[in-house]
Amino acid sequence: MRKLIIPLLALLIFIGESVLANVFSGYLYGGNSFLIPRMTVIFIAFLTIYGSRKTALMYAFMLGLLYDVAYTEILGVYMFAFPVAAYLISKIMKILQSNLLISGLITLLFIAVIEAAVYQLNILLGFTSVDFRDFSMLRLVPTLLLNLVFIVITAYPLRRTIESLRVDSEGE
């Protein structure tokens, strides 16, 4: 039963992210900024930092594929970005301490990197013509602030859950 907790948590986070995307939609409240929840990236980052790299890469690939199929017009963007982010986070965290503050900052950094990379790909393919200044003010900064709130709320429980499941799986 304990082996189902991480997959069920991943599925719950994936579904919850789409629900929160509708709740925080800028058009819903008459605003022009975009608040994009990236709870999937937060989950992958914390799974990478406090779980195992192998498991995190597997979930990053699967969640990236699901993300591409469900939300994007281009298959492979998130399927590539999520595992690369997980791999880079695992390499960075070998150098840095894995406390909650550092983990949260690294997670925010990679949310920003993924957002900027997707923006650049959309510019390259001609899906958007928004300049970087408008992108950063209307999407990047509000997205980072929203995800900072999510990290503050979920960091400790998510870390404890992942660490307890990792200890249990090592004991078997």
Side-chain angles (χ1 to χ4, degrees), residues 2-11 43 47 55 59 161-162 165:
R2 293 187 67 80
K3 291 185 180 197
L4 292 176
I5 292 175
I6 293 291
L8 289 175
L9 185 60
L11 184 63
F43 173 74
L47 190 59
T55 303
Y59 277 97
T161 302
I162 292 169
L165 292 173

Side-chain angles (χ1 to χ4, degrees), residues 141-158:
V141 172
T143 295
L144 291 176
L145 291 174
L146 175 67
N147 286 291
L148 176 63
V149 171
F150 286 149
I151 289 171
V152 167
I153 292 170
T154 63
Y156 184 73
L158 188 57

Side-chain angles (χ1 to χ4, degrees), residues 87-161:
Y87 179 77
L88 292 174
I89 288 170
S90 72
K91 292 299 181 184
I92 289 172
M93 292 312 290
K94 287 183 179 180
I95 299 168
L96 301 174
Q97 297 177 12
S98 60
N99 61 44
L100 284 176
L101 177 65
I102 299 296
S103 300
L105 291 175
I106 293 295
T107 302
L108 275 178
L109 172 70
F110 276 93
I111 289 171
V113 168
I114 289 172
E115 286 290 323
V118 170
Y119 165 74
Q120 290 297 326
L121 186 64
N122 283 328
I123 288 282
L124 182 69
L125 296 174
F127 289 141
T128 188
S129 60
V130 176
D131 65 343
F132 188 77
R133 183 178 175 279
D134 289 339
F135 163 75
S136 62
M137 287 295 115
L138 296 177
R139 181 172 174 153
L140 185 61
V141 172
T143 295
L144 291 176
L145 291 174
L146 175 67
N147 286 291
L148 176 63
V149 171
F150 286 149
I151 289 171
V152 167
I153 292 170
T154 63
Y156 184 73
L158 188 57
R159 183 186 95 180
R160 297 286 294 171
T161 302

Side-chain angles (χ1 to χ4, degrees), residues 6-79:
I6 293 291
L8 289 175
L9 185 60
L11 184 63
L12 180 70
I13 287 171
F14 181 76
I15 293 170
E17 185 172 319
S18 73
V19 170
L20 287 174
N22 289 331
V23 169
F24 290 109
S25 172
Y27 295 115
L28 184 66
Y29 303 108
N32 59 354
S33 63
F34 297 96
L35 298 159
I36 312 295
R38 293 290 184 200
M39 293 176 7
T40 305
V41 176
I42 295 168
F43 173 74
I44 291 168
F46 274 71
L47 190 59
T48 303
I49 295 167
Y50 298 109
S52 73
R53 180 174 67 176
K54 181 181 173 184
T55 303
L57 287 171
M58 181 183 67
Y59 277 97
F61 179 80
M62 289 188 304
L63 288 171
L65 178 62
L66 274 173
Y67 210 91
D68 283 336
V69 169
Y71 303 125
T72 65
E73 299 170 357
I74 310 165
L75 290 180
V77 174
Y78 291 101
M79 185 176 69

Side-chain angles (χ1 to χ4, degrees), residues 80 112 142:
F80 176 75

